[in-house]
Amino acid sequence: MNSALEQFVNVPGTQLWFKDVGQGVPLLLVHGFPLDHTMWSAQIDALPSRCRLIAPDLRGFGRSPLGADDDVLTMERLADDLAMLLDALEIGGPVVLCGLSMGGYVAWEMVRKYGWRLGALVLCDTRAQPDPPAAAEARLETAQRVTAEGSGVLAEAMLPRLLAPATLERQPQLAAMLREVILRTPPAGAAAALRGMAERRDARPLLASIAVPTLVLGGAHDAISPPAEMQAMAAAIPGARWVEIRGAGHLSPCENPQAVNQALAEFLAGL
């Protein structure tokens, strides 16, 4: 197992920070909103003997600054950044892309634009359909509030929806850690991503054409990406496997990392 590499790579308008650890098939971990790479800490700790884990902070989050012109941070722009990260790491072969929530929205753009770079997909607690008009408008209103009031708006509003009720009760240290991550998220980055998510494209027409091995994971108590919706998404992807993560809400890799790590390890072993 190699030691973890932490560094920046230049992308248009900014720099992308990433962690790179392990050996074997590259597993690109794409975090959700409004978090950073640390949401994958349990996977980064457990899986380096099975794969090479590459965990960036998307632009505008964590240690990756927002570009000066990134008022609207589209999912396509985030996918372009990931492609350039892979180029910088000289990874020409296919990777396994694992995206949670917003990371899943970025995954759809990778499928559209860089499908040749993908050897397999892991879709965690995410959605294929776009925001309906009311939800898109709510994101834009939240972007205005975050810009005016700061990222505490997100911590207060989102934590009860990100985690299962049992997680909030039994893992207060996890809730506190995630709150700190959200509070550290630059308001401009969060607002730009909210605007980008509000205008994301419908991914449902893509599902039947996905031709790589696909694992779909979702928390049993996910209030944002309900299990029935994710199960239907998995059923629309040829050969996809659906795994429900017990005791977890929207952040299943954090809430029940043992189950998620087992599912990932089994999936990787079968590639």
Side-chain angles (χ1 to χ4, degrees):
M1 182 176 70
N2 65 318
S3 59
L5 173 68
E6 302 181 22
Q7 64 179 36
F8 289 90
V9 64
N10 291 324
V11 294
T14 188
Q15 291 183 311
L16 210 63
W17 184 95
F18 65 96
K19 177 172 281 190
D20 182 0
V21 61
Q23 299 181 33
V25 60
L27 175 61
L28 181 60
L29 298 168
V30 190
H31 64 78
F33 177 91
L35 304 171
D36 61 22
H37 83 282
T38 58
M39 63 148 290
W40 300 110
S41 294
Q43 288 68 52
I44 292 169
D45 288 344
L47 297 174
S49 63
R50 299 178 180 271
C51 60
R52 177 183 179 184
L53 299 113
I54 302 165
D57 286 341
L58 298 173
R59 71 164 70 201
F61 296 87
R63 303 186 199 179
S64 298
L66 191 67
D69 298 325
D70 291 330
D71 185 56
V72 178
L73 195 51
T74 67
M75 302 301 101
E76 182 180 8
R77 166 58 66 88
L78 296 177
D80 290 342
D81 285 349
L82 295 181
M84 284 180 272
L85 171 60
L86 295 176
D87 286 342
L89 293 175
E90 300 183 347
I91 299 175
V95 304
V96 181
L97 191 152
C98 176
L100 180 138
S101 194
M102 182 180 71
Y105 307 157
V106 178
W108 302 133
E109 294 302 325
M110 290 291 290
V111 170
R112 286 189 176 100
K113 196 168 183 179
Y114 303 103
W116 59 274
R117 306 198 80 139
L118 303 179
L121 276 174
V122 183
L123 302 165
C124 296
D125 300 281
T126 194
R127 313 185 78 182
Q129 60 263 55
D131 280 349
E137 184 61 31
R139 284 199 201 269
L140 298 180
E141 292 173 359
T142 302
Q144 290 182 330
R145 284 197 64 199
V146 171
T147 300
E149 302 172 38
S151 297
V153 169
L154 298 172
E156 295 306 316
M158 292 193 68
L159 266 179
R161 300 190 70 220
L162 290 175
L163 300 174
T167 304
L168 288 165
E169 179 182 349
R170 299 171 189 169
Q171 300 188 61
Q173 73 285 356
L174 174 61
M177 182 273 287
L178 292 169
R179 178 182 294 275
E180 288 303 313
V181 173
I182 295 171
L183 291 174
R184 289 198 305 268
T185 298
L194 283 162
R195 298 183 191 108
M197 288 189 286
E199 64 178 49
R200 73 185 188 277
R201 292 187 280 177
D202 191 346
R204 288 172 294 185
L206 291 175
L207 301 182
S209 67
I210 293 174
V212 297
T214 302
L215 174 64
V216 182
L217 301 172
H221 306 285
D222 190 339
I224 298 174
S225 307
E229 181 182 317
M230 290 208 66
Q231 192 168 8
M233 184 176 72
I237 300 173
R241 182 187 177 205
W242 158 247
V243 176
E244 185 171 286
I245 304 301
R246 296 177 58 186
H250 192 59
L251 297 181
S252 55
C254 304
E255 297 177 73
N256 189 348
Q258 294 82 7
V260 170
N261 291 346
Q262 180 178 346
L264 284 172
E266 292 175 358
F267 181 66
L268 292 167
L271 296 178

